[in-house]
Amino acid sequence: MTDGRQALLAIRVSGDVVGEISALNDTPRTATVTTCGVGLISVIHKRDWHPFLLDQPDAALALARTTAARFRWANQRRVDFTAYPAKIRLARVLAELSTTHGEITGAGRTVGVTLTQPELASLCGAAEPTVEKALRELRQAGVIQTGYRQIIVHDVAQLQRVGHLDDSDRTWTASTN
């Protein structure tokens, strides 16, 4: 943020393209990417990027789809921030993360990424104490289980109900469409 605070805007995983907006429209980067572990990063310079996209229309279309999905996701987050209280936003974020990054285990479905409570609060656009309270309520209701930087969803259907989501509402998984 411009005042020196940090905000977790999104989560990207192995194979995701980042920095494409700046490369496409010659503007400064919009965010800083931080890895959570060791990774291999490939840099594609603009001088190579534009000719590649012109020569590979399928790749350009795939990039356009990815970019459109990310804008849709960002728009949905803005709507969520103004339309829903923090507990609903948290439920939506947890449902999305467990769907896009989670794995099914004997205990339920993992969220799939390790997040601190401040990071989770940042993703939800809520204060940390508010997220702590919402997590406690979801734990007490048997919807989730939490551990150190780990969340397991025991009841996906209930989490979706808390998040005001249903099977026909696919906006919360826009990042995967």
Side-chain angles (χ1 to χ4, degrees):
M1 298 181 148
T2 56
D3 65 359
R5 291 182 292 154
Q6 292 185 356
L8 179 58
L9 301 176
I11 296 172
R12 301 291 179 247
V13 296
S14 180
D16 281 351
V17 174
V18 295
E20 72 282 3
I21 294 171
S22 295
L24 288 172
N25 67 1
D26 264 340
T27 57
R29 62 186 170 83
T30 59
T32 297
V33 176
T34 304
T35 64
C36 296
V38 177
L40 178 64
I41 299 167
S42 297
V43 175
I44 303 171
H45 296 280
K46 183 182 167 190
R47 68 180 177 270
D48 301 321
W49 183 240
H50 286 194
F52 170 77
L53 292 175
L54 289 171
D55 190 47
Q56 301 293 325
D58 288 344
L61 188 55
L63 179 66
R65 284 188 190 117
T66 297
T67 304
R70 289 179 182 175
F71 284 131
R72 179 176 300 214
W73 180 88
N75 286 343
Q76 185 60 49
R77 285 296 143 303
R78 287 201 306 268
V79 168
D80 288 354
F81 290 169
T82 59
Y84 298 111
K87 184 176 176 179
I88 293 172
R89 295 193 311 265
L90 173 64
R92 286 174 166 248
V93 166
L94 293 177
E96 177 188 347
L97 291 175
S98 67
T99 300
T100 57
H101 304 296
E103 297 176 0
I104 296 175
T105 68
R109 179 178 275 281
T110 67
V111 169
V113 292
T114 56
L115 296 169
T116 63
Q117 286 187 356
E119 290 167 339
L120 193 53
S122 182
L123 276 177
C124 297
E128 188 178 349
T130 304
V131 168
E132 289 171 3
K133 179 182 175 195
L135 286 169
R136 183 173 51 255
E137 291 171 2
L138 291 170
R139 264 193 319 271
Q140 290 170 345
V143 177
I144 64 168
Q145 172 186 334
T146 61
Y148 178 72
R149 296 180 73 139
Q150 175 185 3
I151 299 173
I152 297 174
V153 179
H154 291 301
D155 191 339
V156 174
Q158 181 59 22
L159 185 63
Q160 290 174 348
R161 282 191 289 278
V162 171
H164 295 197
L165 301 166
D166 62 37
D167 288 337
S168 65
D169 184 359
R170 294 324 233 169
T171 57
W172 59 279
T173 57
S175 63
T176 62
N177 291 340

PDB file of all heavy atoms in Angstrom, residues 91-104:
ATOM      1  N   ALA A  91     -15.908 -16.909   4.993  1.00  0.00           N
ATOM      2  CA  ALA A  91     -16.444 -18.179   4.495  1.00  0.00           C
ATOM      3  C   ALA A  91     -16.252 -18.287   2.985  1.00  0.00           C
ATOM      4  O   ALA A  91     -15.893 -19.353   2.466  1.00  0.00           O
ATOM      5  CB  ALA A  91     -17.918 -18.311   4.861  1.00  0.00           C
ATOM      6  N   ARG A  92     -16.451 -17.199   2.271  1.00  0.00           N
ATOM      7  CA  ARG A  92     -16.259 -17.198   0.825  1.00  0.00           C
ATOM      8  C   ARG A  92     -14.803 -17.451   0.459  1.00  0.00           C
ATOM      9  O   ARG A  92     -14.501 -18.232  -0.446  1.00  0.00           O
ATOM     10  CB  ARG A  92     -16.728 -15.869   0.225  1.00  0.00           C
ATOM     11  CG  ARG A  92     -18.231 -15.755   0.186  1.00  0.00           C
ATOM     12  CD  ARG A  92     -18.697 -14.373  -0.277  1.00  0.00           C
ATOM     13  NE  ARG A  92     -20.096 -14.471  -0.605  1.00  0.00           N
ATOM     14  CZ  ARG A  92     -20.602 -14.361  -1.842  1.00  0.00           C
ATOM     15  NH1 ARG A  92     -19.825 -14.087  -2.855  1.00  0.00           N
ATOM     16  NH2 ARG A  92     -21.892 -14.506  -2.043  1.00  0.00           N
ATOM     17  N   VAL A  93     -13.888 -16.802   1.150  1.00  0.00           N
ATOM     18  CA  VAL A  93     -12.461 -16.989   0.867  1.00  0.00           C
ATOM     19  C   VAL A  93     -12.052 -18.426   1.183  1.00  0.00           C
ATOM     20  O   VAL A  93     -11.357 -19.074   0.395  1.00  0.00           O
ATOM     21  CB  VAL A  93     -11.605 -15.968   1.648  1.00  0.00           C
ATOM     22  CG1 VAL A  93     -10.127 -16.355   1.638  1.00  0.00           C
ATOM     23  CG2 VAL A  93     -11.794 -14.573   1.064  1.00  0.00           C
ATOM     24  N   LEU A  94     -12.491 -18.958   2.318  1.00  0.00           N
ATOM     25  CA  LEU A  94     -12.137 -20.333   2.677  1.00  0.00           C
ATOM     26  C   LEU A  94     -12.728 -21.336   1.685  1.00  0.00           C
ATOM     27  O   LEU A  94     -12.069 -22.311   1.312  1.00  0.00           O
ATOM     28  CB  LEU A  94     -12.599 -20.656   4.100  1.00  0.00           C
ATOM     29  CG  LEU A  94     -11.892 -19.905   5.227  1.00  0.00           C
ATOM     30  CD1 LEU A  94     -12.509 -20.260   6.573  1.00  0.00           C
ATOM     31  CD2 LEU A  94     -10.402 -20.172   5.215  1.00  0.00           C
ATOM     32  N   ALA A  95     -13.964 -21.098   1.254  1.00  0.00           N
ATOM     33  CA  ALA A  95     -14.585 -21.987   0.264  1.00  0.00           C
ATOM     34  C   ALA A  95     -13.799 -21.948  -1.039  1.00  0.00           C
ATOM     35  O   ALA A  95     -13.518 -22.991  -1.645  1.00  0.00           O
ATOM     36  CB  ALA A  95     -16.041 -21.574   0.035  1.00  0.00           C
ATOM     37  N   GLU A  96     -13.426 -20.763  -1.462  1.00  0.00           N
ATOM     38  CA  GLU A  96     -12.662 -20.633  -2.706  1.00  0.00           C
ATOM     39  C   GLU A  96     -11.305 -21.305  -2.602  1.00  0.00           C
ATOM     40  O   GLU A  96     -10.909 -22.070  -3.485  1.00  0.00           O
ATOM     41  CB  GLU A  96     -12.477 -19.169  -3.068  1.00  0.00           C
ATOM     42  CG  GLU A  96     -11.631 -18.990  -4.302  1.00  0.00           C
ATOM     43  CD  GLU A  96     -11.275 -17.545  -4.573  1.00  0.00           C
ATOM     44  OE1 GLU A  96     -11.856 -16.644  -3.960  1.00  0.00           O
ATOM     45  OE2 GLU A  96     -10.393 -17.342  -5.403  1.00  0.00           O
ATOM     46  N   LEU A  97     -10.576 -21.031  -1.525  1.00  0.00           N
ATOM     47  CA  LEU A  97      -9.253 -21.619  -1.366  1.00  0.00           C
ATOM     48  C   LEU A  97      -9.318 -23.138  -1.292  1.00  0.00           C
ATOM     49  O   LEU A  97      -8.497 -23.830  -1.901  1.00  0.00           O
ATOM     50  CB  LEU A  97      -8.562 -21.054  -0.121  1.00  0.00           C
ATOM     51  CG  LEU A  97      -8.153 -19.591  -0.169  1.00  0.00           C
ATOM     52  CD1 LEU A  97      -7.599 -19.143   1.178  1.00  0.00           C
ATOM     53  CD2 LEU A  97      -7.143 -19.338  -1.280  1.00  0.00           C
ATOM     54  N   SER A  98     -10.291 -23.655  -0.554  1.00  0.00           N
ATOM     55  CA  SER A  98     -10.386 -25.107  -0.437  1.00  0.00           C
ATOM     56  C   SER A  98     -10.764 -25.744  -1.769  1.00  0.00           C
ATOM     57  O   SER A  98     -10.335 -26.851  -2.075  1.00  0.00           O
ATOM     58  CB  SER A  98     -11.370 -25.502   0.666  1.00  0.00           C
ATOM     59  OG  SER A  98     -12.692 -25.149   0.334  1.00  0.00           O
ATOM     60  N   THR A  99     -11.539 -25.039  -2.576  1.00  0.00           N
ATOM     61  CA  THR A  99     -11.927 -25.562  -3.886  1.00  0.00           C
ATOM     62  C   THR A  99     -10.780 -25.487  -4.878  1.00  0.00           C
ATOM     63  O   THR A  99     -10.533 -26.433  -5.622  1.00  0.00           O
ATOM     64  CB  THR A  99     -13.138 -24.775  -4.433  1.00  0.00           C
ATOM     65  OG1 THR A  99     -14.226 -24.928  -3.520  1.00  0.00           O
ATOM     66  CG2 THR A  99     -13.555 -25.283  -5.794  1.00  0.00           C
ATOM     67  N   THR A 100     -10.073 -24.364  -4.899  1.00  0.00           N
ATOM     68  CA  THR A 100      -9.037 -24.177  -5.919  1.00  0.00           C
ATOM     69  C   THR A 100      -7.683 -24.770  -5.530  1.00  0.00           C
ATOM     70  O   THR A 100      -6.922 -25.159  -6.411  1.00  0.00           O
ATOM     71  CB  THR A 100      -8.842 -22.682  -6.247  1.00  0.00           C
ATOM     72  OG1 THR A 100      -8.524 -21.975  -5.059  1.00  0.00           O
ATOM     73  CG2 THR A 100     -10.093 -22.091  -6.876  1.00  0.00           C
ATOM     74  N   HIS A 101      -7.385 -24.840  -4.234  1.00  0.00           N
ATOM     75  CA  HIS A 101      -6.057 -25.281  -3.811  1.00  0.00           C
ATOM     76  C   HIS A 101      -6.068 -26.474  -2.858  1.00  0.00           C
ATOM     77  O   HIS A 101      -5.020 -27.052  -2.598  1.00  0.00           O
ATOM     78  CB  HIS A 101      -5.301 -24.133  -3.127  1.00  0.00           C
ATOM     79  CG  HIS A 101      -5.175 -22.909  -3.961  1.00  0.00           C
ATOM     80  ND1 HIS A 101      -4.460 -22.886  -5.145  1.00  0.00           N
ATOM     81  CD2 HIS A 101      -5.683 -21.660  -3.820  1.00  0.00           C
ATOM     82  CE1 HIS A 101      -4.532 -21.678  -5.683  1.00  0.00           C
ATOM     83  NE2 HIS A 101      -5.269 -20.927  -4.899  1.00  0.00           N
ATOM     84  N   GLY A 102      -7.225 -26.799  -2.315  1.00  0.00           N
ATOM     85  CA  GLY A 102      -7.295 -27.818  -1.271  1.00  0.00           C
ATOM     86  C   GLY A 102      -7.239 -29.243  -1.773  1.00  0.00           C
ATOM     87  O   GLY A 102      -7.349 -29.513  -2.969  1.00  0.00           O
ATOM     88  N   GLU A 103      -7.067 -30.123  -0.809  1.00  0.00           N
ATOM     89  CA  GLU A 103      -7.061 -31.560  -1.065  1.00  0.00           C
ATOM     90  C   GLU A 103      -7.993 -32.218  -0.070  1.00  0.00           C
ATOM     91  O   GLU A 103      -8.112 -31.775   1.074  1.00  0.00           O
ATOM     92  CB  GLU A 103      -5.651 -32.138  -0.886  1.00  0.00           C
ATOM     93  CG  GLU A 103      -4.620 -31.596  -1.844  1.00  0.00           C
ATOM     94  CD  GLU A 103      -3.224 -32.137  -1.553  1.00  0.00           C
ATOM     95  OE1 GLU A 103      -3.059 -32.934  -0.601  1.00  0.00           O
ATOM     96  OE2 GLU A 103      -2.298 -31.775  -2.279  1.00  0.00           O
ATOM     97  N   ILE A 104      -8.606 -33.308  -0.503  1.00  0.00           N
ATOM     98  CA  ILE A 104      -9.469 -34.066   0.392  1.00  0.00           C
ATOM     99  C   ILE A 104      -8.591 -34.983   1.236  1.00  0.00           C
ATOM    100  O   ILE A 104      -7.715 -35.673   0.709  1.00  0.00           O
ATOM    101  CB  ILE A 104     -10.510 -34.870  -0.404  1.00  0.00           C
ATOM    102  CG1 ILE A 104     -11.434 -33.913  -1.145  1.00  0.00           C
ATOM    103  CG2 ILE A 104     -11.299 -35.794   0.521  1.00  0.00           C
ATOM    104  CD1 ILE A 104     -12.435 -34.573  -2.063  1.00  0.00           C
TER     105      ILE A 104
END
